[in-house]
């Protein structure tokens, strides 16, 4: 039996996606991130995220981009090498846009990676970690901010409230930009990103966040509601590493 077999167990993660330092800090503080055991999947150097990791307030893993024109490299090996230099002690990953093929997964297993989190569900119940064909552990996602905007475009949270108390692994994944801008619909933050240069996106500051943030009910409010529900109910929170380790230890009994 796993700790999530008969009750919900939550784990929180965030994809950095080249967000600026101000956006990352805003997202972390708006969600009370120090109490979440957060795992950041990193795309680029970040003093803010590195500082959290050094202080034991979060864990850094990697978020490799294998898509064309990637700033990480022009081949699978180049992308992997770049990201391993970015976070040398990483033993888990989530690929950008969930891109994967067997070659990538098998190579990561050969490089000693233990787990990944690439399978995004629509708030499915009774989720569990899985033993992937590569030998690594797969940690499926219960809630992703962008995916939830597609599932529940009105953000009335009825689907979420029907399922968040069900047994199972509940990986909650969000993006710092969606949290900073409080995205109200799927296209909102995408349009912001497309309207500025890459350099500007990487350097958005507090004034930009104040100007661009949606003032109504948005996805940040949904994630805040999830977090408060977890604490109100006293549900267990585990890091992604802890979940992977538990799955391996029970599986190997």
């Amino acid at each position: 039996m796993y700790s999530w077999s008969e009750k919900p167990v939550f784990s929180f993660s965030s994809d950095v996606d080249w967000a600026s330092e101000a956006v990352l800090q805003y997202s972390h503080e708006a969600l009370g991130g120090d109490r979440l055991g957060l795992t950041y999947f990193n795309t680029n150097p970040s003093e803010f995220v590195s500082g959290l990791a050094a202080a034991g307030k979060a864990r850094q893993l990697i978020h490799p981009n294998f898509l064309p024109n990637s700033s990480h490299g022009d081949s699978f090996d180049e992308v992997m090498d770049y990201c391993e230099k970015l976070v040398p002690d990483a033993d888990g990953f989530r690929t950008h846009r969930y891109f994967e093929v067997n070659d990538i997964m098998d190579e990561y297993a050969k490089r000693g990676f233990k787990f990944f989190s690439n399978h995004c569900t629509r708030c499915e119940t009774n989720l569990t970690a899985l033993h992937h064909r590569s030998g690594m552990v797969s940690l499926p996602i219960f809630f992703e901010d962008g995916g939830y905007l597609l599932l529940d475009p009105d953000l009335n949270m009825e689907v979420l409230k029907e399922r968040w108390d069900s047994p199972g692994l509940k990986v909650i994944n969000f993006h710092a930009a969606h949290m900073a801008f409080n995205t109200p619909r799927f296209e909102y933050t995408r349009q912001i990103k497309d309207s500025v240069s890459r350099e500007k996106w990487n350097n958005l500051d507090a004034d930009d966040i104040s100007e661009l943030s949606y003032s109504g009910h948005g996805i940040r409010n949904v994630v805040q509601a999830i977090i408060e529900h977890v604490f109100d109910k006293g549900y267990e929170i585990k890091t992604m590493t802890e979940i992977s380790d538990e799955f391996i230890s029970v599986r190997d009994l």
Side-chain angles (χ1 to χ4, degrees):
M1 295 287 289
Y2 300 105
S3 59
W4 55 85
S5 296
E6 296 181 347
K7 60 184 179 179
V9 172
F10 286 80
S11 186
F12 293 90
S13 70
S14 182
D15 297 345
V16 170
D17 277 12
W18 302 275
S20 72
E21 294 290 272
V23 166
L24 289 166
Q25 183 172 354
Y26 183 99
S27 172
H28 189 87
E29 293 177 354
L31 301 179
D34 284 359
R35 60 181 179 161
L36 299 181
L38 263 169
T39 298
Y40 279 95
F41 289 94
N42 226 350
T43 49
N44 54 279
S46 166
E47 290 185 9
F48 178 73
V49 175
S50 295
L52 291 173
K57 296 178 179 179
R59 177 94 196 277
Q60 285 191 98
L61 296 178
I62 55 173
H63 195 47
N65 179 14
F66 292 101
L67 298 176
N69 302 313
S70 169
S71 60
H72 292 169
D74 296 322
S75 68
F76 290 170
D77 282 339
E78 286 183 6
V79 172
M80 291 180 183
D81 291 345
Y82 173 88
C83 290
E84 286 193 61
K85 290 177 182 176
L86 181 65
V87 187
D89 65 345
D91 58 358
F93 65 93
R94 175 183 293 135
T95 61
H96 185 54
R97 301 283 183 90
Y98 305 119
F99 180 90
E100 66 175 73
V101 295
N102 288 344
D103 308 56
I104 290 172
M105 310 310 278
D106 292 343
E107 178 60 25
Y108 269 128
K110 289 178 183 177
R111 293 184 181 214
F113 279 72
K114 296 179 180 179
F115 69 92
F116 65 94
S117 182
N118 262 10
H119 191 85
C120 185
T121 77
R122 293 164 73 89
C123 298
E124 291 297 311
T125 60
N126 297 294
L127 290 172
T128 187
L130 302 168
H131 193 192
H132 188 260
R133 66 177 293 282
S134 63
M136 293 184 291
V137 176
S138 173
L139 304 182
I141 299 164
F142 170 74
F143 171 100
E144 185 223 40
D145 48 12
Y148 194 75
L149 284 160
L150 296 175
L151 172 65
D152 180 16
D154 294 329
L155 297 181
N156 61 26
M157 295 176 57
E158 288 182 6
V159 174
L160 184 59
K161 289 179 179 180
E162 288 174 357
R163 303 179 184 182
W164 61 9
D165 293 315
S166 63
L169 185 58
K170 300 259 185 311
V171 174
I172 308 298
N173 186 50
F174 55 87
H175 296 77
H178 282 315
M179 297 301 100
F181 303 133
N182 198 25
T183 305
R185 58 186 182 279
F186 190 79
E187 301 82 6
Y188 186 87
T189 295
R190 179 77 256 175
Q191 290 170 351
I192 293 173
K193 190 170 185 178
D194 290 344
S195 70
V196 299
S197 67
R198 178 178 288 185
E199 181 180 2
K200 176 63 175 176
W201 178 261
N202 296 155
N203 292 282
L204 292 172
D205 59 22
D207 289 338
D208 295 317
I209 295 170
S210 178
E211 177 183 348
L212 296 168
S213 180
Y214 181 69
S215 60
H217 182 64
I219 196 67
R220 180 177 69 233
N221 305 123
V222 174
V223 175
Q224 288 171 326
I226 294 172
I227 293 167
E228 292 313 308
H229 183 73
V230 170
F231 281 95
D232 287 346
K233 288 282 191 176
Y235 287 140
E236 188 171 10
I237 297 173
K238 293 194 172 192
T239 68
M240 300 195 79
T241 299
E242 288 171 339
I243 290 168
S244 174
D245 289 346
E246 178 181 343
F247 179 76
I248 292 170
S249 65
V250 173
R251 183 196 66 193
D252 290 345
L253 288 177

